[in-house]
Amino acid sequence: MRKRILAGLLAGLLLMTAVPVTAEPMSGDNDVTAESVIGAGDEATEGIGDALAADAAVATDDDVAMHATDDLMTEGANEANPPAPQELVTEDGLIGYTSGSSGEYGHIVSGHIPSPGDVYEPVDLEEAFMRAAADPEVSLPEAYSLEVNADTLFGRSAGYFTVPDRQLVTPIKQQNPYGNCWAFGGVGSAESGMLKNGYYTDAASADVDFSEAHTAFYGAVSNENDTPVGTEGDVAYNSDWANNGGNARWVMSAWSKGRGIAKEAVLPYNRLQNDYTGVTAALNGGAHKDTRTERLVNARQCRFNDPNHVKENIMAYGAADIDVAYWDAYVGPGQENLYVPTPSTTNHAVLLVGWDDHYSRENFGKAGAADPIRPERDGAWLCKNSWGNYNKIGGYFWISYEDVVFQSTTATWFECEPITGREIIDQHDGGMDIAWAPIYYNYRVIWQAAVFTSQERHQVEAVSFWTREMENTDYEIRVYKNVVAESDPTAGTLVSAATVSGIQRDSGYQEVKLTTPVVVEQGERYSVLVGLRNPNGVNIILESGMQIKYSGTETLALNSTVKAEYGENFVGDSAAFNSTAYDWIDVRDAYSKRGNLRIKAIGSPVTAPTPTPTPEPTPEP
């Protein structure tokens, strides 16, 4: 009976396919001039700190003018002639924008694709901050416990922190003229995290400069020339990959399947700017698919319903990739701040790098407006943009704590590390986006299983999985060798020494090292089980295909498909989290789009042991 109920829930739920369309927000409809931008908002530069102030040189006329024009395809910008900017509509009816489109509240040039969860309603952020200020037990990451006063951090007096002050963010970059903000957001977060973790020490060094063009292509396109082993059939056609937008999940998908992250020198952004057609042809032919030097370890996701936890994560992990609703009607003087007072879809990705509890509410409001719209109280988040040095604070801007969209969005911290040897990834999920099925009612425990056939003799050292909106989730990972049954992923030998359990504080992509590596032989079928337990309910994450059309037409901007086979993905439940008695169903029977679970097994090659020679028998005398 439980099996039938679970199958019905999976098959009947509207699986939420996240498809945000990001287009770079550029204030094109305001006829902004270099003179008007440079001369506005002097007070906003105060309190940014020495590092940020040093980076905040006055913008050049060229920098500002580049963002003030409606015609982004300026002479010499590139040799291609991409489709004219248009409104995009996803299968779920969400509206996104290609680079240079106009929306309800003004002109944007970005490249972000919103999901069904990206239309935001207000939350009581003030109450959340007041609770934190009244709580004497503020938990801070150990790395900062000696330099930050916990009593003043959350709104009592100081209330100020920025990543740029600590040299943990790379210099301002320029995405013009393409809608690749989502790639800049993901790469920027990864760069900051690697600086924070000490893999690199000089934020201005080429060593920590990674390729946004590489990430944008492999996040938005997948064809037969670059499909990793195990993901055959997961393909994506994109009519204009550099402009049609994307989101953080596409970055997570590309990097986790082994398509990034690569150095800027591999595919410099100026090559894309100068030769869009040539770069596209080379990439479609498989160029640069195996040029990564770093690998994705974690992609933590945290919602703003707990702003103090967001602050802790900034301090612990560096800059976060974040989505905003950047509309001209709500941009303040000098393009130095943003306050959106009403629900809206997101349209741009930026980096979240800090906060200031005392940033004045008087700084907000449309320049020249008779009755400027301002938040009720002081306080703002600091964001790093990807439009070059376009304003007086060096390409950064502030966004109000009360910004309605920002209050309910999700921040993503990408954690990468240098690759030290050849990596083997057993996987089925090569799709670019996700679908998720929230299982509530009595389902507080769910087990998922992926069955793999080993590519070669190697040892499985870690397992990765995804969750969504499931903070503080208990997990347990188990590995079974020599699985023989097509319909039961546990019909093999449990390697109990490898079992590992823990708590996932944040949602997102997580890689967990096994307690002991498990050696699997070439051609061996083995399974990886991921058990999840959460008192608020558990959701199941699968890869997803999608279609995005240009608004008012049947023309596809994006068409991606996924493929799953029977006997590779299972979902089940058990009487207790620590039980080994499961009730399994094949995901392909339950999920109409036939996607694979977001589970991977990660390891490295091992050589076969040298057989011990059999000694020759001693001849009898």
Side-chain angles (χ1 to χ4, degrees), residues 21 81-91 94-99 101 113 237-245 276 547-559:
V21 176
N81 185 22
Q86 297 187 54
E87 188 176 81
L88 302 178
V89 179
T90 73
E91 293 172 283
L94 294 168
I95 295 176
Y97 303 94
T98 63
S99 179
S101 298
I113 301 180
Y237 161 78
N238 200 314
S239 66
D240 185 13
W241 64 272
N243 280 307
N244 281 344
Y276 178 86
Q547 287 188 346
I548 303 177
K549 298 178 181 180
Y550 291 106
S551 180
T553 76
E554 292 302 310
T555 303
L556 288 174
L558 171 69
N559 185 23

Side-chain angles (χ1 to χ4, degrees), residues 187 191 209-212 214-215 255 259-267 288 290-294:
V187 169
E191 290 171 343
D209 185 7
F210 292 90
S211 174
E212 291 82 11
H214 187 279
T215 290
W255 290 357
R259 291 296 178 260
I261 180 172
K263 299 283 190 183
E264 176 71 6
V266 169
L267 183 57
H288 308 309
D290 295 319
T291 53
R292 64 179 182 145
T293 56
E294 264 73 10

Side-chain angles (χ1 to χ4, degrees), residues 43 98 120-121 194 202 220-221 223 252 322 453 513 559 564:
E43 72 281 2
T98 63
Y120 300 116
E121 300 291 342
M194 285 185 276
D202 182 359
V221 178
N223 58 45
M252 292 160 67
I322 191 78
T453 300
K513 291 190 180 301
N559 185 23

Side-chain angles (χ1 to χ4, degrees), residues 181-201:
C181 63
W182 58 282
F184 280 78
V187 169
S189 175
E191 290 171 343
S192 177
M194 285 185 276
L195 287 165
K196 175 69 179 66
N197 288 330
Y199 295 122
Y200 303 97
T201 58

